[in-house]
Amino acid sequence: MISQYWKNQIPARPLIIQVKNEQGQDLDLSGYDDISVVMLGTDNEPISLTGSSVNTANKNIGKIGFSFPTSKSLFTKSGDYILQLQLKGSDRLDFTTTHVLRVRELGRTFR
């Protein structure tokens, strides 16, 4: 799955992430105490998510909301950014499949 954004965009709407199991069914994430987002930039560098938030109100049906920071854009360059959820429980640490955020710049071809 690929989401498209624009260089310097500060998205007003949260990104909704639906986590599914291997059979394609919604995955109950209630067993995880801490759900966080990890993002890598176009050069595989870690992106600081300061100012962002994660909404886990619907984690029992595998639906997580990621709200972007409002004071700065995470998308300083065009290219593919990679997003992943980190799921922590008292006796477990899991990661979701990665999600591509494609960032474009108006008037430029995608690299």
Side-chain angles (χ1 to χ4, degrees):
M1 183 157 104
I2 297 177
S3 298
Q4 181 175 288
Y5 294 95
W6 295 93
K7 182 180 175 185
N8 298 320
Q9 181 178 356
I10 301 175
R13 293 179 36 180
L15 174 65
I16 303 302
I17 303 161
Q18 182 66 58
V19 181
K20 298 197 177 273
N21 64 17
E22 293 82 10
Q23 291 77 36
Q25 300 165 328
D26 296 342
L27 186 61
D28 183 355
L29 303 175
S30 297
Y32 297 100
D33 304 318
D34 181 37
I35 298 175
S36 59
V37 173
V38 178
M39 186 183 292
L40 298 177
T42 59
D43 296 319
N44 210 33
E45 76 280 9
I47 299 293
S48 170
L49 300 178
T50 301
S52 66
S53 62
V54 177
N55 181 337
T56 61
N58 294 311
K59 70 181 182 177
N60 62 316
I61 58 170
K63 191 176 284 188
I64 304 299
F66 173 70
S67 294
F68 294 89
T70 57
S71 62
K72 66 174 182 171
S73 175
L74 300 178
F75 309 125
T76 58
K77 296 193 275 185
S78 59
D80 285 348
Y81 291 66
I82 305 297
L83 181 138
Q84 184 178 52
L85 293 180
Q86 179 176 287
L87 312 166
K88 290 183 184 177
S90 59
D91 60 349
R92 63 193 80 181
L93 174 62
D94 287 315
F95 298 90
T96 63
T97 302
T98 56
H99 179 77
V100 176
L101 305 177
R102 181 153 291 160
V103 176
R104 300 189 62 190
E105 184 174 357
L106 189 62
R108 299 198 73 174
T109 57
F110 184 75
R111 61 175 177 136

